[in-house]
């Protein structure tokens, strides 16, 4: 499930301000994790997906608290001892009037291990949603630290062939919580709002491919991105099944899907292709990518070379051509070293 984590600045502030109670001038009693309330928050404030997406995942988590014995710099995560009912609201529909036209249902789910979640075990978290009011609720089970609300949406409502300049989507917030300890020992952060944006696949957003059998294009691709991943430096086109470049809400994600396979760790006996991935986050105004077939691109990311993390920056431009292909021109720096400008062409 999605894990765009909330910054732990709040934890550091709390640790400084309330990590101890001064009983006497020379006696300090440390605050223990159980002295802090359990606080449920939204993991994400912004997200988006393509027009033909049929589910929207909204992450929730429990805020970590200070670890008094410093076993974890990120704190420790308390969990409720009893089931809770969490209430939410979907509101502010953009570019559609009735919530029921887009949101058709939903469910709540939590991860059990890397290969299993609660839905695999037929665990029902009693999800409810009223499309006429936008109000809904679900069970937060005892012992769970992280959970996802999944809203099922009408994948045909926004899936058009037009270039859309207006924002489309909705907002979501937590409203109240019921159960043992709520109000004092267990609290809900209802101030944070989550905004979901539908990404227009007639502009930059979506999945593109580079033809690894085009010798010139493949050489340019390796010259540009090979410096960001050492696994690409000695690779040949014959080693590759496909090269995918995705532009989504937060980042550009490159997947080089190899011919080589390995056994699926969750499905013994099933083979899956090995992949090489590179990610780079937008460092430009995201809304500049809406409603246009050309513009500027700026990315920041981290490459790991010889087990050493190095920061990189890519800058350039893009153009969606009359034939529907995408041309991107990028150059940049990796840890102060120049990455020479390259122009590559991608297809849908």
């Amino acid at each position: 499930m999605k894990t765009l984590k909330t910054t732990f600045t709040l934890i550091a502030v709390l640790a400084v301000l309330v990590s101890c109670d001064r009983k006497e001038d020379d006696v300090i009693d440390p605050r223990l994790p159980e002295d802090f309330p359990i606080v449920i928050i939204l993991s994400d404030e912004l997200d988006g997906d393509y027009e033909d997406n049929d589910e929207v995942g909204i992450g929730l988590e429990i805020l970590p608290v200070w670890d008094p014995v410093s076993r974890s710099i990120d704190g420790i995560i308390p969990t409720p001892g009893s089931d809770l009912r969490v209430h939410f609201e979907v509101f502010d529909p953009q570019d559609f009037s009735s919530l029921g036209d887009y949101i058709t249902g939903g469910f709540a789910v939590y991860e059990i291990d890397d290969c299993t979640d609660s839905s695999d075990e037929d665990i029902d978290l009693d999800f409810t949603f009223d499309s006429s009011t936008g109000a809904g609720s679900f069970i937060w089970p005892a012992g769970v630290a992280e959970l996802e609300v999944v809203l099922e949406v009408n994948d045909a409502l926004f899936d058009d062939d037009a270039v859309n300049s207006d924002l489309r989507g909705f907002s979501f917030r937590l409203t109240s919580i019921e159960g043992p300890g709520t109000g004092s020992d267990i609290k809900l952060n209802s101030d944070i709002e989550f905004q979901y944006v539908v990404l227009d696949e007639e502009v930059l957003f979506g999945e593109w491919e580079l033809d690894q059998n085009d010798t010139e294009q493949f050489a340019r691709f390796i010259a540009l991105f090979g410096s960001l991943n050492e696994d690409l430096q000695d690779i040949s086109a014959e080693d590759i099944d496909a090269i995918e470049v995705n532009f989504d809400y937060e980042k550009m994600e490159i997947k080089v899907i190899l011919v080589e396979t390995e056994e699926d760790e969750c499905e013994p006996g099933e083979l899956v292709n090995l992949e090489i991935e590179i990610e780079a986050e937008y460092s430009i105004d995201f809304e500049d990518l809406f409603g246009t077939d050309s513009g500027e691109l700026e990315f920041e990311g981290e490459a790991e070379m010889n087990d050493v993390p190095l920061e990189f920056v890519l800058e350039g431009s893009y153009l969606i051509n009359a034939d529907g292909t995408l041309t991107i021109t990028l150059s940049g720096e990796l840890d102060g070293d120049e990455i020479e400008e390259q122009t590559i062409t991608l297809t849908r």
Side-chain angles (χ1 to χ4, degrees), residues 48-325:
D49 213 328
Y50 309 134
E51 291 175 326
D52 59 355
N53 183 46
D54 61 2
E55 290 184 348
V56 177
I58 304 169
L60 291 81
E61 62 185 352
I62 292 175
L63 188 70
V65 299
W66 175 62
D67 183 354
V69 295
S70 301
R71 287 171 296 192
S72 171
I73 193 172
D74 292 334
I76 58 178
I77 302 176
T79 58
S82 303
D83 289 356
L84 309 170
R85 180 164 287 277
V86 178
H87 296 264
F88 65 85
E89 178 188 14
V90 180
F91 64 101
D92 192 23
Q94 298 187 62
D95 205 35
F96 68 107
S97 55
S98 171
L99 289 173
D101 290 343
Y102 189 47
I103 302 173
T104 60
F107 57 93
V109 63
Y110 63 91
E111 186 178 277
I112 296 175
D113 57 41
D114 290 342
C115 298
T116 311
D117 62 35
S118 56
S119 65
D120 297 323
E121 301 295 326
D122 295 323
I123 298 173
D124 184 6
L125 300 184
D126 194 23
F127 177 92
T128 68
F129 179 69
D130 184 347
S131 61
S132 65
T133 64
S137 69
F138 58 90
I139 295 295
W140 186 294
V144 170
E146 206 171 350
L147 181 147
E148 187 175 44
V149 171
V150 180
L151 298 179
E152 298 164 332
V153 298
N154 176 5
D155 59 1
L157 182 65
F158 294 121
D159 193 12
D160 57 29
D161 295 326
V163 173
N164 301 277
S165 56
D166 295 332
L167 289 181
R168 301 169 295 168
F170 60 84
S171 296
F172 175 102
R173 63 182 163 220
L174 303 174
T175 55
S176 63
I177 187 170
E178 302 173 58
T182 56
S184 56
D185 297 330
I186 303 174
K187 298 180 181 293
L188 195 71
N189 188 322
S190 56
D191 295 328
I192 301 174
E193 296 180 357
F194 167 87
Q195 183 182 19
Y196 177 77
V197 177
V198 178
L199 303 181
D200 189 357
E201 293 174 282
E202 275 62 56
V203 292
L204 179 67
F205 303 112
E207 180 181 298
W208 302 83
E209 291 190 0
L210 182 136
D211 182 5
Q212 71 271 18
N213 296 313
D214 183 320
T215 304
E216 181 179 359
Q217 289 295 317
F218 182 68
R220 292 178 179 180
F221 175 84
I222 296 300
L224 180 60
F225 295 110
S227 58
L228 305 181
N229 191 303
E230 55 194 353
D231 292 333
L232 290 177
Q233 293 175 356
D234 297 320
I235 204 167
S236 67
E238 290 74 21
D239 299 323
I240 297 173
D241 185 61
I243 299 175
E244 298 176 355
V245 182
N246 291 276
F247 295 91
D248 64 19
Y249 190 82
E250 299 174 328
K251 60 186 180 296
M252 172 179 65
E253 181 182 46
I254 298 168
K255 290 185 179 181
V256 179
I257 303 171
L258 304 180
V259 174
E260 183 182 356
T261 60
E262 65 178 358
E263 187 174 64
D264 190 323
E265 62 178 18
C266 295
E267 297 289 341
E270 295 291 326
L271 296 178
V272 293
N273 294 83
L274 295 176
E275 295 181 358
I276 300 171
E277 296 185 0
I278 297 173
E279 292 184 356
E281 295 185 354
Y282 297 118
S283 56
I284 58 173
D285 188 343
F286 176 69
E287 292 188 14
D288 287 348
L289 303 177
F290 283 81
T292 180
D293 59 6
S294 62
E296 301 301 310
L297 289 174
E298 295 178 19
F299 298 104
E300 296 178 353
E302 186 177 276
E304 191 166 297
M305 308 296 286
N306 299 316
D307 297 324
V308 177
L310 302 174
E311 301 296 322
F312 70 82
V313 176
L314 295 174
E315 297 180 346
S317 62
Y318 74 93
L319 172 66
I320 299 177
N321 303 294
D323 61 359
T325 59

